[in-house]
Amino acid sequence: MEFISTLINGLSLGGIYAMIALGYTMVYGIAKMLNFAHGDIIMAGGYAIYVFLLLSGNPIVAAVGAIVMCVLLGVVIEKIAYRPLRGASPLAVLITAIGVSYFLQSIAQIVFGSAPKMIIVAQLGIIKLGGVTIDVSALITLACSAVVMVALTCFVKYTKVGRATVAVSEDKGAAQLMGVNVNNIITLTFAIGSALAALAALCYLLKAPSMYSTFGSLPGIKAFTAAVIGGIGSIPGAMLGGIMMGVVESICNSVPVIAPYTDAIEFSLLIIILLVKPTGFLGKKRREKV
């Protein structure tokens, strides 16, 4: 019974990592860049929830407000920081992403201070099913992540804009010749990833109601690890990697002997998987044309 509860908590945590990992993998798959400021958009989403809760006292209003704020932030970052570097070297883009990350953390410290903020989004309690104790927040997170994954998969497969994103990820030049506006597609990708980051922040705060300026750093790194494990650039891979990371973390934390080494075990898993399958589970090898 205890294992079932641990598994459900792991799946819910994996759902959060998957939502964050989707932001990484979509941006990489389409814009061919690693947005290491993505974790700090999660932090911005958490503080937006805090502000909207203070203003309205309504969790739904706070969630919608945070999503809107994160979408706007993601679009602004893409247009100001990344779009001018579209043809630059990967190193220049990487350094810019790190700079944006520290900039957002510094702004958060100036505005909200360095002390953690307690953010009680909602008191959901627990339920017992056949001797299994389950957090309601875990069930909500599971349901939310499942809906997001299905909706995103349907969007990519069955909508015109979704198929355009696939075309841009496969061959940006050919897609542009076919009339696809590449800049708009990349902006849309940042907007979707930022909205998922806000949703992940909400789900994370339901589990651990504390917010601080580096809040998104470790979840962001773990979600990036999940994206690489699943296959960077692959949407199903990001989902698979996120679920795997969440389940491994939950199981490790449930065993007192290995709980202090949970992070080391997770990142060791990344190394082992990449040694066996360098492209990740669902990643594809790309042939470079010379």
Side-chain angles (χ1 to χ4, degrees), residues 185-245:
I185 293 296
I186 293 175
T187 300
L188 176 65
T189 303
F190 271 84
I192 293 172
S194 299
L196 293 179
L199 204 54
L202 175 66
C203 294
Y204 218 104
L205 287 173
L206 289 174
K207 296 173 69 70
S210 179
M211 174 57 57
Y212 41 91
S213 61
T214 57
F215 170 80
S217 297
L218 188 57
I221 292 171
K222 289 185 177 181
F224 173 70
T225 301
V228 175
I229 286 174
I232 190 74
S234 167
I235 291 176
M239 299 174 186
L240 175 63
I243 296 298
M244 182 180 298
M245 287 285 287

Side-chain angles (χ1 to χ4, degrees), residues 262-282:
T262 299
D263 291 344
I265 291 171
E266 288 179 290
F267 294 122
S268 297
L269 180 66
L270 169 66
I271 295 170
I272 293 169
I273 290 173
L274 290 184
L275 286 173
V276 176
K277 194 168 180 15
T279 57
F281 284 116
L282 301 180

